[in-house]
Structures are given as structure tokens and as C-alpha cells.
Amino acid sequence: MPPTALIVGQSVMKAFQHLSTQDLHTRRVEEAYRVVAECITAVDPAMRLYMFGSTAVYGVHEKGSDVDFVALSKTDVEDGKGEDAGTQVAKGLQAEFLGKLAKVVRQKHFSWNVEEVRRTRVPVIRVKGGSSVDFDITVNRRNGVRNSALLRAYFEQDPPCRWLSMGVKRWSKRAGLNASVVGGSITSYGFNLMVVYYLLQRGALRFIQPDAIDVANVAPVPPYLPLEPPRNDGAELGEQILDFLAFYMHEFDAARHVISLSRPGITTKEQLNWTKNAEDLARMNGEKINYQWCIEDPYELNLNVGRNVTPLKRDFLRKHLEKARETALLTTT
Ligand code: GTP
Ligand code: MG
Ligand code: MG
């Protein structure tokens, strides 16, 4: 017999017990913001620093989570709905700025580990700041700020939904599904898109047009959004978790449909031309893109956030969805 919704909810609550004694206020990362902003100013005083990723999405900072930063120019911010340039020239300029920034960070904080990552889709520097927080810094890219603000706007409609998101994220990391762990294939961001898509399909959230999100209206440091304990002792959370798992196991048609926040209702692979043909074409161009588990990025043109999900990884995901029901998202073991 699989555990009841109440047991699932309470088990997941227990896994997050440590949060009740933690200071989750976003001011805890303001120090990191100040330090990074100082380094940015040393490279170019006209650049502005924005925080995005989980701290912005949830409005709380979980200990151990990295912080995502992006340096934006005045024009980037003013043209807050503009598309990010994906050209090699743009990437080159970004890498150049980040190279200078890495130098400054190393000078000012010689004990920190600063790594320039160039081979990713987006140039980034990854800083491990010893006892303080770790962070990623990118430049001239609005999409991260926009997609975080979009996810946040959804969670603000029903703040307790953050528990579902946090439960799923924790599970994805422990199960080896999350791209941040070895063998993982979907980022936390991808799992958040899955959570929100599920809630939209259930009518638990109202659709938000992605184009409505404007960087010019987003706070550089995300405001704190207090996290209250789950409602009715976790029973509701447990029901939501079981329903989320059932949705992706039995209802979502991975062979034909796309997880998407770009438009209300159903999006098909056919519609986006995310087909076997497109997979083969990409392969001929030396890219490995899979359209097995499709998650449409609301801002990046033609980008499958689930592109690393091979047929094997998709089966692995299904197996874990199954197992998650028995183990309350891997919190009982
Ligand atoms: P944790 O760091 O695991 O706590 O979660 P997080 O919510 O910060 O998510 P994550 O680090 O995965 O993502 C932070 C930001 O990176 C997102 O807001 C996205 O802008 C970007 N990002 C992460 N994964 C992808 C991806 O697969 N595709 C694209 N386009 N952007 C991504
Ligand atoms: Mg992050
Ligand atoms: Mg990150």
C-alpha cells in the first residue's frame, strides 16, 4: 500500500524541518550582492547587478543554495523585454567582460576559487567563496531575470506552492535527476517549469503571458516572501505531491506534448517542430539535442530545457516518479 497523502505531506515537511530554525530572509545574500557589485563597478561603473535563480523565485534563501547574478547595462534594463543576443560575437564580448571581472574578484578575494566556464551555452564565472555563499555570474543576459520573475509571479499567486517546488527540487537532486549532480539531466529551473505547468493544467494557477515580464520592473535584489508552514498539517501538500507524480506518470503525453508556459493549454511537439527529424538535423550539426522530454523555455527561442533527456534518462525519470510515490519524494529513507 502506498502511503497516504497526509503521510507523504508530513514526511516532506519533516525533511524541511531544518528551515524552521533558519533565517530564510533574502538579506542574508545582500552581503554577497554588495561584494559582487563592488567588483562589477571596478570593471565598469555603469553596469548594474541583478540577482535571480532560486532566491528570486522563492523570495527566500536556503542555506547551501548558490546565488545567480547577472550584470546588466542600463540599456539592457531599459529594454527590459528585449531578446538576448545569442551570437558568437555577443558570447565573445560577454566572455571578455567576465574575464576582466574574474581578475578583479581574484585580486580582491584571493582565497576564493574563481572558474571561468566558456564551453556552456552562456559564458559564466563560477565563484566558490569559501564559507560564504557560492555564486554564478553572467553578463548582458536578461532571460534569467525574466524567467525567475515569471516563476516568482506564479508562486506569488499561491505562495504555499513553493513547498511542492522545493520538495520536487530536493527529490530531483537526491534521485540523481537534477543536472547539478552527476548523471542528472534536468536543471532545477526545468523542474520548476514542470511544477508550474502541472499547476496550470490543474487550474490551480492563472496563466501569465511571459511577455508581460519586464526587467525594468524587477527589483535587483528580490524582496523577501515569508514561507509559512504548509496548510492543514501537510495533507494538502501531500495530495499535491501525489497528484504531481500521477500527472507526469499517467497524464502528460511525453510522446506528443510539450511542457510549456509560453501559451495556455496544450502545446504539441509538432507545433514547435520538435521532432525526430529535428533531432537528426541537430546531430548532423554536431549538437546533441533530444526531444524525448520537452520543456519549452518561455524566453529563449527554440530551446528545449529538457534537451539532455535521452531515451534512457527519460526511462530513469519515469522509474523515479514511480518510486517517489512510495518514498514520499525520497524523504522516508
Ligand atoms: P538551485 O540553484 O538548484 O537552488 O535552483 P535555482 O532555482 O537557482 O535553479 P538553477 O540554478 O537551475 O537556475 C537558475 C537560472 O539559470 C534560471 O533562472 C535560468 O535562467 C538559468 N537556467 C538553469 N537551467 C537552465 C536551462 O536548462 N536552460 C536555460 N535556458 N536556462 C537555465
Ligand atoms: Mg541557482
Ligand atoms: Mg546557478
Side-chain angles (χ1 to χ4, degrees), residues 52-53 66-68 126 135-136:
F52 65 106
D66 75 335
V67 185
D68 301 286
R126 204 147 273 167
F135 36 88
D136 290 348

Side-chain angles (χ1 to χ4, degrees), residues 63 145 185 189 216 273:
K63 214 184 227 156
V145 177
S185 56
Y189 168 61
N273 191 29

Side-chain angles (χ1 to χ4, degrees), residues 80-280:
K81 291 185 178 187
E83 249 173 57
D84 287 339
T87 59
Q88 286 307 316
V89 177
K91 274 180 80 167
L93 289 171
Q94 292 170 16
E96 193 186 313
F97 179 91
L98 291 174
K100 288 184 200 157
L101 180 62
K103 223 171 166 179
V104 171
V105 176
R106 286 190 189 108
Q107 270 165 8
K108 286 188 188 267
H109 308 276
F110 55 88
S111 67
W112 291 3
N113 185 325
V114 184
E115 184 197 353
E116 287 168 71
V117 192
R118 290 169 188 275
R119 273 186 309 185
T120 42
R121 212 174 46 79
V122 175
V124 56
I125 59 176
R126 204 147 273 167
V127 182
K128 299 219 180 304
S131 57
S132 50
V133 270
D134 298 342
F135 36 88
D136 290 348
I137 312 171
T138 46
V139 62
N140 290 130
R141 298 194 42 94
R142 284 162 289 220
N143 286 352
V145 177
R146 292 186 88 193
N147 65 42
S148 298
L150 177 67
L151 290 169
R152 182 187 176 113
Y154 275 118
F155 290 136
E156 277 177 348
Q157 285 185 20
D158 187 18
C161 286
R162 287 175 294 172
W163 287 110
L164 173 64
S165 162
M166 286 164 57
V168 167
K169 181 164 91 174
R170 177 189 180 278
W171 161 73
S172 72
K173 289 182 179 176
R174 297 207 167 204
L177 296 164
N178 193 295
S180 68
V181 300
V182 181
S185 56
I186 304 173
T187 56
S188 299
Y189 168 61
F191 280 103
N192 267 333
L193 296 174
M194 283 171 60
V195 165
V196 171
Y197 178 73
Y198 150 75
L199 292 167
L200 279 172
Q201 291 298 306
R202 287 290 186 256
L205 297 175
R206 274 168 286 116
F207 180 76
I208 299 170
Q209 204 69 56
D211 191 53
I213 306 291
D214 186 337
V215 177
N217 301 328
V218 176
V221 180
Y224 175 50
L225 190 63
L227 189 66
E228 312 293 344
R231 291 184 284 237
N232 13 29
D233 226 12
E236 212 175 308
L237 173 63
E239 262 158 43
Q240 220 172 33
I241 289 168
L242 292 178
D243 192 46
F244 170 87
L245 296 172
F247 177 79
Y248 282 110
M249 270 190 300
H250 307 302
E251 284 178 56
F252 173 65
D253 185 356
R256 298 193 310 125
H257 293 171
V258 176
I259 295 154
S260 177
L261 307 188
S262 300
R263 58 200 75 73
I266 301 290
T267 299
T268 64
K269 292 190 191 182
E270 203 82 72
Q271 229 172 307
L272 303 182
N273 191 29
W274 284 5
T275 55
K276 173 87 177 51
N277 240 339
E279 272 184 357
D280 295 341

